[in-house]
């Protein structure tokens, strides 16, 4: 195993025991997540806001807003499959990140205009840009630590702290500006930080050397030879090439998926149908989706059965985990749709007197303490890298001056009020806060003798998350129109949703990499992200029914859907533990 002594250049410039380049990636990902989550928390609120008033929106129904957001979220998990392939074969990871960042910056700039044309152009640009950006940041990180696998876990922990820090500040500050100054300020701020994050990454090029560049032919041949030498499934790879029928089925199912993704919002919002309205006596969209799923199952099964028994069984296990992933994200991603509407319309957010003072103190600590910590990391990075990449450090310093300025203005503005209402977007930051606060504690369980099997982690993740929705169902039980729910129920819901995420989310991708042979890993990662995409689409589709279900039944009934379904799914996957353990053939 490589050590620090065998490659001193890698550790020549260190911050907190890791190469400076890691923290460039940290801040790049932080500002991208700032812009992504800052926009994400605003979109449903903007689309469903009243057409009149101090801060008018588009006045859409939750159903129509959910249809648009669901398609956007679904595509976000599909385009990275193609972006990763393009980067790997043609342009390299670093250029892919830059291209993706520039396209996303344009997307945020378009959305700041608040008009239908620019809104749709902006969402399209964000989908394409994410396709280039999302898979290649982690690819650069992986390449950076290729010779130092023993340090990779720590590196990924630091990197994902950047993800959550960006999400935290993006939702807090973009949400506050949008609610207090206007929607275009919130959308525009997201774009500004996307641009500045791109600049600091590009200007830090001297820190990375050849990492992330387009692989040369010689390097590709060397990697291929090494993978063949180390592969235990080489014979399987040779026995199972992709056939013409495989490629045809991939093309057909991809086209069907895209047609459905676009038909859903077009049919609901504009009355345009690109799929037949009826087919075989059923709803046309549903019938086409069922056909697509059947063809996709044929594709997956035909691929899996061609492998040797051990490899086949492990891939079946991955497919089962992917199936249950759909139910998790269908419920968890209510945080982007129904829960922001619930926070706006059904939660008592009014504060006065002592309660306002307590909230302002808590909000100040939540804002200032993380900013101080991250600013300290920026200072350490600057000490190590200013001579090599001065402009990158200057850009980073400017971004933090802007964040500090907006944060101080926000806190001063809130402390000056005698009565206030918490912004509905504020509650969304709780997920990132709880992740930062609880992640290390949960990870200690996985390192202890109490570490449960994968299926049990999955089941517990689904059940713990469902408790959060159960609390919302209980808190909103029997309330009449005009009466609002205490905010404590929403805070507790986010706590349990985050605990569920920590139990389930990190497990999935880890088992894909452990269980799947080299030749199938890209295909199975595609299946995994497809499962997440379907979960996101279902989340927005069902979440968009919050107004209809509340009107016909009750708000409590709506939340019971996301209580019962994950519990059933969680119990099922835990019951499958003996079978899954057998299918995994010793992989832990």
């Amino acid at each position: 195993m490589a050590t620090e002594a065998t490659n001193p250049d890698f550790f020549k410039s260190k911050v907190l025991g890791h190469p400076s380049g890691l923290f460039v990636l940290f801040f790049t990902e932080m500002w991208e997540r700032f812009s992504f989550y800052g926009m994400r928390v605003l979109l449903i609120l903007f689309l469903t806001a009243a057409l009149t008033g101090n801060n008018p929106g588009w006045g859409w129904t939750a159903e129509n807003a959910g249809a648009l957001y669901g398609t956007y979220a679904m595509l976000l998990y599909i385009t990275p499959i193609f972006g990763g392939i393009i980067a790997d074969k043609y342009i390299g990871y670093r250029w892919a990140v830059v291209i993706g960042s520039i396209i996303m910056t344009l997307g945020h700039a378009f959305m700041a205009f608040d008009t239908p044309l620019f809104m749709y152009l902006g969402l399209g640009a964000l989908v394409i840009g994410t396709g280039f950006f999302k898979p290649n940041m982690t690819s650069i990180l992986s390449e950076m630590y290729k010779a130092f696998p023993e340090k990779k876990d720590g590196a990924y922990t630091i990197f994902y702290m950047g993800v959550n820090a960006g999400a935290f500040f993006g939702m807090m500050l973009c949400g506050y500006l949008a609610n207090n100054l206007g929607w275009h300020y919130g959308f525009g701020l997201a774009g500004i930080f996307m641009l500045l994050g791109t600049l600091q990454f590009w200007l830090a090029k001297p820190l990375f050397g050849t990492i992330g560049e387009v692989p040369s032919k010689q390097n590709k041949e060397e990697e291929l030879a090494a993978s063949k030498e180390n592969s235990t499934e080489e014979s399987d790879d040779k026995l199972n090439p992709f056939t013409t029928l495989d490629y045809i089925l991939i093309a057909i199912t991809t086209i069907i998926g895209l047609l459905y993704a676009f038909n859903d919002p077009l049919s609901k919002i504009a009355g345009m149908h690109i799929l037949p309205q009826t087919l075989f006596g059923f709803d046309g969209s549903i019938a086409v989706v069922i056909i697509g799923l059947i063809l996709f199952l044929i594709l997956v099964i035909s691929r899996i059965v061609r492998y040797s028994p051990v490899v086949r069984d492990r891939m079946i296990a991955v497919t089962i985990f992917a199936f249950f992933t759909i139910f998790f994200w269908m419920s968890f991603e209510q945080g982007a749709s129904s829960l922001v509407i619930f926070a706006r319309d059904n939660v008592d957010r009014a504060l006065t007197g002592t309660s306002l003072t307590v909230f302002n103190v808590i909000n100040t600590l939540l804002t200032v303490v993380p900013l101080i910590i991250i600013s300290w990391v920026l200072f350490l990075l600057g000490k190590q890298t200013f001579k090599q990449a001065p402009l990158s450090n200057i850009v980073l310093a400017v971004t933090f001056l802007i964040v500090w300025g907006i944060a101080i203005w926000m806190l001063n503005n809130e402390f000056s009020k005698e009565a206030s209402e918490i912004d509905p977007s504020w509650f969304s930051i709780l997920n990132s806060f709880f992740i930062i606060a609880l992640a290390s504690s949960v990870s200690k369980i996985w390192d202890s003798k109490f570490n449960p099997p994968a299926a049990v982690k999955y089941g517990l993740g689904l059940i713990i998350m469902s408790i959060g929705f159960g609390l919302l169902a209980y808190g909103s039980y029997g309330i009449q129109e005009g009466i609002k729910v205490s905010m404590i129920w929403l805070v507790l819901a986010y706590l349990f949703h985050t605990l569920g995420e920590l139990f389930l989310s990190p497990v999935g991708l880890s088992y894909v990499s452990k269980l799947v042979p080299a030749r199938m890993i890209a295909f199975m990662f595609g299946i995994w992200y497809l499962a997440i995409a379907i979960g996101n689409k279902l989340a927005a589709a069902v979440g968009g029914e919050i107004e209809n279900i509340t009107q016909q039944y009750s708000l409590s009934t709506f939340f019971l859907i996301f209580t019962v379904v994950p519990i059933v799914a969680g119990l099922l996957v835990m019951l499958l533990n003996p079978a899954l353990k057998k299918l995994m053939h010793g992989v832990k």
Side-chain angles (χ1 to χ4, degrees):
M1 184 171 287
T3 64
E4 190 172 325
T6 59
N7 190 357
D9 288 341
F10 184 79
F11 288 88
K12 196 171 183 179
S13 172
K14 289 196 294 185
V15 177
L16 301 178
H18 287 271
S20 300
L22 171 64
F23 291 89
V24 173
L25 299 182
F26 172 97
F27 286 116
T28 306
E29 184 73 12
M30 177 178 167
W31 297 129
E32 189 275 333
R33 292 291 90 183
F34 180 105
S35 62
F36 172 78
Y37 280 99
M39 184 284 295
R40 173 183 178 266
V41 78
L42 299 181
L43 185 58
I44 293 288
L45 290 173
F46 168 71
L47 294 173
T48 58
L51 288 165
T52 58
N54 294 329
N55 197 17
W58 283 7
W60 283 14
T61 64
E63 182 180 7
N64 287 357
L68 179 63
Y69 176 79
T71 291
Y72 164 70
M74 182 179 181
L75 294 174
L76 285 177
Y77 284 93
I78 293 174
T79 53
I81 299 170
F82 303 101
I85 293 170
I86 292 170
D88 189 47
K89 290 183 177 294
Y90 304 110
I91 60 175
Y93 304 137
R94 209 155 60 202
W95 265 111
V97 167
V98 171
I99 291 169
S101 298
I102 292 170
I103 295 172
M104 283 190 285
T105 300
L106 288 173
H108 288 296
F110 289 149
M111 293 183 74
F113 289 100
D114 294 357
T115 64
L117 173 62
F118 282 108
M119 179 64 70
Y120 297 134
L121 285 174
L123 291 174
L126 290 174
V127 166
I128 295 169
T130 299
F132 282 99
F133 186 96
K134 190 178 181 69
N136 295 305
M137 282 295 290
T138 50
S139 295
I140 293 173
L141 183 57
S142 180
E143 186 177 340
M144 187 185 292
Y145 283 82
K146 187 186 297 182
F148 299 88
E150 73 277 13
K151 295 183 178 290
K152 189 176 284 189
D153 286 349
Y156 273 99
T157 300
I158 292 170
F159 181 76
Y160 283 111
M161 284 297 179
V163 170
N164 286 288
F168 180 89
F169 287 112
M171 290 186 284
M172 174 186 282
L173 300 182
C174 292
Y176 192 82
L177 260 65
N179 193 58
N180 289 271
L181 298 180
W183 299 108
H184 48 278
Y185 284 95
F187 289 130
L189 185 67
I192 289 170
F193 281 97
M194 189 70 250
L195 175 62
L196 292 173
T198 305
L199 280 174
Q200 72 91 25
F201 174 77
W202 180 250
L203 293 170
K205 186 178 179 181
L207 301 177
F208 290 93
T210 60
I211 292 172
E213 290 186 351
V214 185
S216 66
K217 185 177 180 181
Q218 181 181 350
N219 289 340
K220 286 182 177 179
E221 289 173 352
E222 288 174 357
E223 287 184 11
L224 183 61
S227 66
K228 284 185 176 181
E229 185 179 336
N230 296 325
S231 175
T232 59
E233 286 110 11
E234 183 183 349
S235 60
D236 286 309
D237 291 348
K238 289 182 177 178
L239 289 171
N240 196 10
F242 279 88
T243 66
T244 303
L245 179 60
D246 289 339
Y247 287 120
I248 291 172
L249 288 173
I250 290 171
I252 292 173
T253 52
T254 301
I255 291 168
I256 288 175
L258 291 174
L259 286 174
Y260 167 73
F262 287 106
N263 184 73
D264 186 37
L266 283 173
S267 60
K268 290 176 179 175
I269 299 164
M272 295 172 56
H273 296 270
I274 55 177
L275 290 176
Q277 291 180 259
T278 58
L279 191 65
F280 309 125
F282 298 97
D283 179 278
S285 295
I286 295 174
V288 168
V289 167
I290 290 172
I291 292 169
L293 287 174
I294 291 171
L295 292 174
F296 188 72
L297 283 173
I298 292 171
L299 168 66
V300 173
I301 293 168
S302 68
R303 289 288 303 160
I304 289 175
V305 297
R306 286 178 247 159
Y307 279 104
S308 63
V310 171
V311 177
R312 179 195 64 210
D313 289 351
R314 288 174 175 173
M315 292 173 69
I316 291 171
V318 170
T319 305
I320 292 171
F321 283 129
F323 174 74
F324 284 101
T325 293
I326 293 172
F327 296 102
F328 178 82
W329 293 110
M330 181 193 79
S331 302
F332 182 83
E333 281 299 317
Q334 295 306 308
S337 54
S338 66
L339 288 186
V340 291
I341 295 174
F342 172 72
R344 182 189 65 191
D345 298 340
N346 304 105
V347 173
D348 183 7
R349 298 177 284 111
L351 296 173
T352 57
T354 303
S355 61
L356 178 59
T357 302
V358 170
F359 172 78
N360 282 334
V361 170
I362 292 172
N363 194 39
T364 299
L365 291 173
L366 284 176
T367 306
V368 172
V369 172
L371 266 179
I372 290 173
I373 294 170
I374 299 172
S375 298
W376 174 66
V377 174
L378 172 66
F379 171 73
L380 295 178
L381 179 65
K383 279 180 64 178
Q384 290 290 330
T385 64
F386 195 85
K387 289 183 179 179
Q388 288 176 277
L391 292 177
S392 177
N393 282 277
I394 290 170
V395 170
L396 266 179
V398 169
T399 61
F400 272 84
L401 286 173
I402 295 172
V403 170
W404 272 106
I406 296 172
I408 292 169
W409 169 76
M410 175 188 75
L411 296 172
N412 180 65
N413 192 37
E414 290 304 302
F415 270 105
S416 67
K417 296 177 181 177
E418 295 182 2
S420 180
E421 268 197 343
I422 301 174
D423 293 337
S425 58
W426 182 87
F427 295 95
S428 299
I429 73 171
L430 294 173
N431 175 241
S432 295
F433 169 72
F434 287 137
I435 285 178
I436 294 169
L438 301 172
S440 61
S441 299
V442 173
S443 67
K444 286 177 183 177
I445 300 174
W446 310 154
D447 294 330
S448 73
K449 63 181 180 180
F450 301 107
N451 184 21
V456 176
K457 287 179 186 174
Y458 247 70
L460 288 173
L462 283 157
I463 292 168
I464 291 170
M465 179 194 60
S466 72
I467 294 172
F469 285 106
L471 291 170
L472 290 175
Y474 177 78
S476 58
Y477 180 75
I479 65 167
Q480 304 296 317
E481 188 175 346
I483 300 175
K484 296 194 173 184
V485 179
S486 169
M487 69 178 74
I488 190 63
W489 298 112
L490 189 54
V491 173
L492 288 172
Y494 274 111
L495 172 61
F496 281 96
H497 292 176
T498 303
L499 283 170
E501 180 187 9
L502 289 171
F503 269 73
L504 182 144
S505 185
V507 176
L509 290 175
S510 171
Y511 276 94
V512 175
S513 62
K514 289 177 182 178
L515 292 166
V516 176
R519 176 163 172 75
M520 280 291 280
I521 195 134
F523 181 70
M524 294 306 287
F525 266 122
I527 289 177
W528 193 266
Y529 282 119
L530 178 62
I532 298 175
I534 292 171
N536 273 263
K537 182 61 181 174
L538 286 174
V542 181
E545 295 295 322
I546 183 171
E547 294 172 345
N548 298 332
I549 293 173
T550 300
Q551 187 175 7
Q552 190 169 354
Y553 300 100
S554 68
L555 188 57
S556 185
T557 302
F558 174 79
F559 289 123
L560 277 174
I561 296 171
F562 303 103
T563 306
V564 174
V565 172
I567 286 177
V568 172
L571 291 173
L572 278 174
V573 75
M574 284 197 288
L575 287 172
L576 288 171
N577 181 49
L580 285 165
K581 189 175 179 180
K582 188 177 179 181
L583 288 169
M584 290 162 70
H585 291 278
V587 172
K588 296 180 179 180

